[in-house]
Amino acid sequence: RTWGDWTLQVGLRAEQTQNEAESVTANAVVERSYMNLFPSVTLTRNLGENHQFQYSFGRRIDRPDYQYLNPFIRIFSPYAYQQGNPYLKPQYTDAFQVAYSYKQETTISAGFNRITDVIVDVNEQNDLTGATRITFANLAEQMSINVTGSIPYRFASWWSSRNTASVLYNAYRAELAGSPLNYTWLTTNLSTTHSFLLGRGLTGELVATYNSPYVYSQNKMQAFGQVSIGLQQTLWQKKAVLRFNWSDLLQTQRFGGTVDFQQMNFRFATYSETRI
């Protein structure tokens, strides 16, 4: 419905979920059946052609991936292995957001998310052998406050960019293996995308991202980022296109961190094929 400068949109979705998982090896069957309602409300106000304010609320569900549920053991090393948890439940998010946009290009938003039954990976150490099992669990609750700004900027007629910065404040409230897992953390995410018109049908793009250190379950993650480039050439009056892309140019998209919880104290790093 619309009243003058105001527009209201209200929605409601109902989902019935039913699944059955059977592990032949463990001779076990896990069944789940649940129904949920997901409301959404968006209130928008347009002030002239250039200014828009938006207020929204929505609820969503995130179900665990198959590999999170499968109890199959994946061995990383003699002292570390991963195993899924067939009893994982979905996580639910209630999201509130206030946003402002100028000419539908420059945007500033602030939001508050409350997540229940947060799905995270947890480390469980066998103190006798020193081996660590990595599995998945539903933590109690996570609160998140975020502020995001996105601004386009044109350096020249042939060079334009879009720059985004986000600041997130996260708070966990949970108990794991009889010990409290309560902490707060401030995280910054930066990204910039540059587009180039190089003439004679040749265009280029450069993308760079940066994520500051953050906390995830028991893991204190280190900062990471990446730079990617691309070129595109049109041929034969735009009847053909030739593209070249190089992702993670400097091979810095690497995830690592530390765990210092109960008797566990170790560092870890993950290297995957990100430079392509």
Side-chain angles (χ1 to χ4, degrees), residues 231-244:
L231 291 172
Q232 176 175 294
Q233 176 70 61
T234 58
L235 304 170
W236 305 314
Q237 296 180 344
K238 299 184 179 180
K239 294 180 180 179
V241 175
L242 180 65
R243 293 191 181 98
F244 169 80

Side-chain angles (χ1 to χ4, degrees), residues 2 31 103 217 243 267:
T2 299
E31 295 182 351
K103 292 186 177 180
S217 183
R243 293 191 181 98
R267 297 182 61 85

Side-chain angles (χ1 to χ4, degrees), residues 38-258:
F38 299 95
S40 62
V41 179
T42 302
L43 182 62
T44 305
R45 187 182 186 189
N46 293 301
L47 297 179
E49 297 181 356
N50 297 332
H51 306 278
Q52 183 183 81
F53 294 87
Q54 191 173 84
Y55 314 88
S56 62
F57 164 77
R59 179 174 170 82
R60 71 173 185 264
I61 183 174
D62 294 293
R63 298 175 180 84
D65 294 335
Y66 171 77
Q67 62 267 27
Y68 286 18
L69 297 168
N70 190 351
F72 178 80
I73 293 177
R74 179 187 179 192
I75 298 175
F76 294 143
S77 75
Y79 295 100
Y81 66 95
Q82 186 184 77
Q83 185 176 27
N85 175 9
Y87 300 99
L88 266 183
K89 298 181 292 183
Q91 70 178 28
Y92 299 91
T93 302
D94 294 306
F96 303 84
Q97 188 180 63
V98 178
Y100 164 77
S101 66
Y102 175 69
K103 292 186 177 180
Q104 297 183 341
E105 292 184 345
T106 301
T107 61
I108 300 174
S109 65
F112 171 79
N113 294 345
R114 177 178 178 266
I115 308 174
T116 55
D117 290 328
V118 184
I119 299 174
V120 296
D121 58 83
V122 296
N123 304 283
E124 300 173 350
Q125 178 176 278
N126 185 324
D127 294 335
L128 296 178
T129 64
T132 299
R133 182 177 82 121
I134 304 168
T135 187
F136 305 92
N138 295 101
L139 293 188
E141 188 177 60
Q142 177 185 350
M143 303 289 187
S144 176
I145 300 173
N146 61 82
V147 178
T148 301
S150 182
I151 301 174
Y153 186 78
R154 182 174 293 276
F155 295 90
S157 59
W158 54 274
W159 178 8
S160 61
S161 71
R162 173 163 288 278
N163 310 281
T164 303
S166 299
V167 178
L168 300 91
Y169 175 82
N170 294 301
Y172 272 86
R173 293 289 181 269
E175 183 175 298
L176 189 61
S179 298
L181 191 63
N182 302 331
Y183 57 80
T184 58
W185 201 262
L186 192 66
T187 306
T188 301
N189 301 328
L190 306 174
S191 69
T192 181
T193 300
H194 297 258
S195 300
F196 307 94
L197 301 175
L198 303 176
R200 297 188 178 182
L202 180 64
T203 58
E205 186 175 74
L206 182 147
V207 178
T209 63
Y210 169 79
N211 296 72
S212 69
Y214 64 99
V215 176
Y216 174 72
S217 183
Q218 305 149 303
N219 311 306
K220 293 184 178 180
M221 307 294 293
Q222 66 187 23
F224 65 93
Q226 62 91 25
V227 176
S228 300
I229 59 173
L231 291 172
Q232 176 175 294
Q233 176 70 61
T234 58
L235 304 170
W236 305 314
Q237 296 180 344
K238 299 184 179 180
K239 294 180 180 179
V241 175
L242 180 65
R243 293 191 181 98
F244 169 80
N245 296 291
W246 191 343
S247 64
D248 195 11
L249 187 67
L250 306 176
Q251 206 167 14
T252 52
Q253 189 83 358
R254 296 177 174 180
F255 300 94
T258 61

